């Protein structure tokens, strides 16, 4: 992979990490808008094999980039960026779109148990074998639940395509606990989708508040990145603007993430929205499904 260089050393490179059941193409609308604004953008594949291995892979991608970075994650991708960014001084801003933001010792499973969502009845688990003695359990979305639980803000035909092309996530993506939490030291921005059925909006609010994230709430389902790419791009550009300022010589870095209690901006459906597909709160039901095959 050739190193990606931030435009002129001024604008940060924006790295977009998708969530479970998705791939990088779910960021397409946002990518187009960010590139029109002159940003270099990358949307690497999230392996979806486990928090530790996925974050290690994304961290290696970040090391190929020269200059400042804005790192955005949707859903389970939020847990991945929280670990991948740790110790990387190039990462200036973190953006969480309807995402998991685990603290040290937390997992998607533990957060989902605390804040239950409709995702618990929307998946099926299937054992897999990868050869060489490697095996585990994959989670798939039930096809008849994709529209109602995950993509209600999209036409049913479009939601069906997401179900057909979904990539399964291993249960270890949600059961492995975080060892670090980069949002404790890196300024963050967060989106709360009020109609999110995949991750409980109360969980999103709780996470953003304790991280002191600059927080935006909108009326949106979980995959509003696809439905409202302009709004999602706008939020990322806010984080990128702060990152560019912090990276300029002689300019003070942003001291901390904004207080959720004071900086929360409330917008309508046309506002900032959620992103890539689906997510991490498979957590809610993993404790009932680990090791059990359902159809």
């Amino acid at each position: 992979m050739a190193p990606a260089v931030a435009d002129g050393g001024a604008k940060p490179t924006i790295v977009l990490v998708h969530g479970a059941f998705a791939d990088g193409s779910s960021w397409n609308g946002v990518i187009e808008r960010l590139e029109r604004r002159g940003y270099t953008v990358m949307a690497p594949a999230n392996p979806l094999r486990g928090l530790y291995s996925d974050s290690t892979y994304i961290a290696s991608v970040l090391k190929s980039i020269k200059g400042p970075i804005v790192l955005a994650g949707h859903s389970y991708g939020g847990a991945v960026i929280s670990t991948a960014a740790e110790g990387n001084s190039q990462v200036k801003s973190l953006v969480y779109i309807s995402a998991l933001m685990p603290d040290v010792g937390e997992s998607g499973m533990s957060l989902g148990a605390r804040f239950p969502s409709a995702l618990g009845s929307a998946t099926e688990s299937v054992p897999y074998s990868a050869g060489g003695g490697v095996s585990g359990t994959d989670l798939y979305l039930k096809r008849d639940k994709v529209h109602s639980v995950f993509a209600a803000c999209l036409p049913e035909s479009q939601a069906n395509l997401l179900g057909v092309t979904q990539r399964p996530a291993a249960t270890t993506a949600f059961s492995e606990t975080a060892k670090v939490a980069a949002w404790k030291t890196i300024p963050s921005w967060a989106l709360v989708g009020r109609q999110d059925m995949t991750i409980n909006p109360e969980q999103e609010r709780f996470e953003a508040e304790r991280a002191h994230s600059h927080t935006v709430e909108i009326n949106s389902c979980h995959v509003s990145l696809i439905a409202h790419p302009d709004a999602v791009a706008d939020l990322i550009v806010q984080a990128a603007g702060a990152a560019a300022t912090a990276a300029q010589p002689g300019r003070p870095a942003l001291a901390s993430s904004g207080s959720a209690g004071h900086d929360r901006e409330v917008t309508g459906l046309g506002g900032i929205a959620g992103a890539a597909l689906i997510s991490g709160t498979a957590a809610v039901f993993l404790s009932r499904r680990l090791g059990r095959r359902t159809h």
Side-chain angles (χ1 to χ4, degrees):
M1 178 185 298
V5 182
D7 183 12
K11 288 187 175 180
T13 296
I14 297 173
V15 180
L16 309 172
V17 179
H18 64 79
F21 317 118
D23 61 29
S25 68
S26 50
W27 289 101
N28 281 356
V30 173
I31 293 169
E32 292 171 359
R33 286 154 177 81
L34 292 174
E35 288 187 336
R36 284 204 297 265
R37 300 189 197 192
Y39 288 96
T40 297
V41 186
M42 297 178 66
N46 185 354
L48 306 180
R49 296 296 85 196
L51 178 59
Y52 302 151
S53 61
D54 294 345
S55 57
T56 298
Y57 173 74
I58 295 299
S60 71
V61 172
L62 299 180
K63 290 178 181 177
S64 75
I65 300 172
K66 296 180 180 179
I69 299 168
V70 170
L71 186 56
H74 172 257
S75 202
Y76 164 65
V80 173
I81 69 171
S82 292
T83 296
E86 182 69 16
N88 188 331
S89 61
Q90 292 176 240
V91 180
K92 306 300 182 182
S93 302
L94 297 171
V95 185
Y96 295 91
I97 306 297
S98 298
L100 293 177
M101 299 173 66
D103 200 348
V104 176
E106 291 179 341
S107 65
M109 181 187 296
S110 65
L111 284 167
R114 183 173 179 181
F115 299 96
S117 77
L119 188 60
S121 62
T123 67
E124 58 183 358
S125 55
V126 178
Y128 72 84
S129 176
V134 177
S135 62
T137 301
D138 269 339
L139 294 173
Y140 288 84
L141 298 173
K142 294 178 180 177
R143 294 282 292 278
D144 63 349
K145 297 289 187 179
V146 174
H147 187 234
S148 61
V149 175
F150 302 102
C153 51
L154 298 179
E156 188 169 1
S157 59
Q158 189 174 5
N160 179 64
L161 289 175
L162 297 179
V164 171
T165 60
Q166 66 176 291
R167 293 177 56 224
T171 55
T172 46
F174 311 117
S175 63
E176 291 179 346
T177 58
K179 297 179 179 179
V180 295
W183 48 261
K184 291 186 175 183
T185 57
I186 301 173
S188 61
W189 282 252
L191 172 111
V192 174
R194 297 193 190 102
Q195 281 76 52
D196 196 334
M197 300 289 287
T198 299
I199 296 180
N200 189 325
E202 288 302 317
Q203 177 181 329
E204 297 171 12
R205 294 185 184 105
F206 164 76
E207 295 171 331
E209 184 172 358
R210 72 175 177 182
H212 303 293
S213 303
H214 301 281
T215 306
V216 174
E217 291 200 3
I218 64 161
N219 295 322
S220 177
C221 73
H222 193 62
V223 298
S224 50
L225 160 63
I226 300 171
H228 307 285
D230 285 307
V232 175
D234 286 345
L235 181 61
I236 294 171
V237 168
Q238 290 180 30
T245 299
Q248 291 178 14
R251 295 295 296 273
L254 187 63
S256 64
S257 303
S259 167
H262 297 287
D263 293 346
R264 179 173 295 158
E265 175 185 352
V266 179
T267 66
L269 263 176
I272 310 304
L277 223 205
I278 313 35
S279 76
T281 311
V284 176
F285 54 91
L286 284 180
S287 58
R288 301 197 301 268
R289 293 184 175 236
L290 282 172
R292 187 179 73 188
R293 181 174 182 172
T294 63
H295 299 281

